[in-house]
Amino acid sequence: MATFAQWISGARPRTLPNAVAPVIAGTGAAAWLHAAVWWKALLALAVALALIVGVNYANDYSDGIRGTDDERAGPLRLVGSKLASPRSVLAAAIISLSVGAGAGLALALLTAPWLIAVGAACIAGAWLYTGGSKPYGYAGFGEVAVFVFFGLVAVLGTQYTQALRVDWVGAVLAVSTGALSSAVLVANNLRDIPTDAQSGKVTLAVRLGDARTRVLYQALLATAGVLTLVLMVAAPLCAVGLVAMPLAVRAAGPVRSGRGGPELIPVLRDTGLAMLVWAILVATALALAGPLGI
């Protein structure tokens, strides 16, 4: 049986910034509109964390029963390594997604009931990433889904539930966060190109090939950097977000230098850290910009 530490590893803690950063960014966008509601931010954070843990366990289950994780260069997978039964990992996925659905339902009912449909789409997206008869993650659309759900939906949804509207600042934050979040998945799939291609998992990285995937990863980081400059139009103090640039440069180092396999594992951690630091700095800048007049 898997130990507690192995279950934690199976939840893929390196991906948690993908859940936390969008909520921070969205709350910063709401604060920019002088409409931050902290308890709603915490509820949105509960939704995001539960969903990303749920999708990670669901991915572990679906890839495990397909045999995709039998040979891999990345961190531990519970089903693929035979440390946990598929049934137990599926149960963990269902529990996590249910927690997210419950928190999301409460947030929707307290804000706007039509958001329930958005939540349902998020749950479906989480499961169908690698689940079902035709998982879209096996057809090269994983990065698009991450951009949409952990960028546009998460950031703008967080802003809307607090401010009851969205604006261009929220949209720029959403695109920036989506780009950084997608970069995490691009790095993951870059590492797994050989094993994914062998198992029939046609990710975007498999379609693009090694060289072009490395270019895509760096382009996504650059997009976030450029959009940080755009945010300075609203609040010059957003320049503080560029402090995260050295973290992004460090994250991109192994990608630029052509490293592969296990040597790319730290890229996921460092990209997530850069995204999280960037979100905290920019959200804080937006929250302070109005009252300080800068």
Side-chain angles (χ1 to χ4, degrees), residues 101-142:
L105 178 62
L107 188 57
L109 292 176
L110 291 167
T111 305
W114 62 264
L115 289 172
I116 295 173
V118 177
C122 291
I123 297 292
W127 175 253
L128 295 175
Y129 172 50
T130 54
S133 59
K134 294 183 178 180
Y136 63 82
Y138 280 58
F141 295 106

Side-chain angles (χ1 to χ4, degrees), residues 195-277:
T195 54
D196 283 345
Q198 184 178 5
S199 63
K201 185 176 182 179
V202 187
T203 63
L204 181 60
V206 171
R207 290 183 182 276
L208 292 177
D210 186 277
R212 287 189 291 180
T213 300
R214 293 177 191 273
V215 172
L216 173 61
Y217 171 84
Q218 295 174 77
L220 289 169
L221 294 188
T223 297
V226 171
L227 291 179
T228 301
L229 300 178
V230 174
L231 288 171
M232 292 172 60
V233 174
L237 192 59
C238 285
V240 72
L242 297 176
V243 171
M245 189 64 68
L247 294 173
V249 171
R250 184 180 74 175
V255 176
R256 290 196 313 272
S257 62
R259 295 181 186 177
E263 292 181 306
L264 289 173
I265 293 176
V267 176
L268 279 71
R269 177 201 63 209
D270 292 342
T271 306
L273 179 60
M275 173 171 55
L276 186 58
V277 171

Side-chain angles (χ1 to χ4, degrees), residues 32-127:
W32 164 252
L33 297 175
H34 305 285
V37 182
W38 302 109
W39 64 267
K40 284 191 173 182
L42 291 175
L43 200 52
L45 181 60
V47 174
L49 287 172
L51 288 184
I52 201 164
V53 171
V55 74
N56 286 340
Y57 281 135
N59 176 246
D60 192 309
Y61 165 77
S62 297
D63 279 350
I65 62 174
R66 284 189 169 91
T68 307
D69 285 342
D70 289 350
E71 300 290 338
R72 56 178 289 105
L76 174 144
R77 294 294 180 261
L78 294 166
V79 176
S81 62
K82 308 293 192 294
L83 287 170
S85 69
R87 190 172 184 176
S88 63
V89 176
L90 176 60
I94 292 173
I95 291 170
S96 299
L97 293 175
S98 297
V99 169
L105 178 62
L107 188 57
L109 292 176
L110 291 167
T111 305
W114 62 264
L115 289 172
I116 295 173
V118 177
C122 291
I123 297 292
W127 175 253

Side-chain angles (χ1 to χ4, degrees), residues 20 77 176:
V20 178
R77 294 294 180 261
S176 301

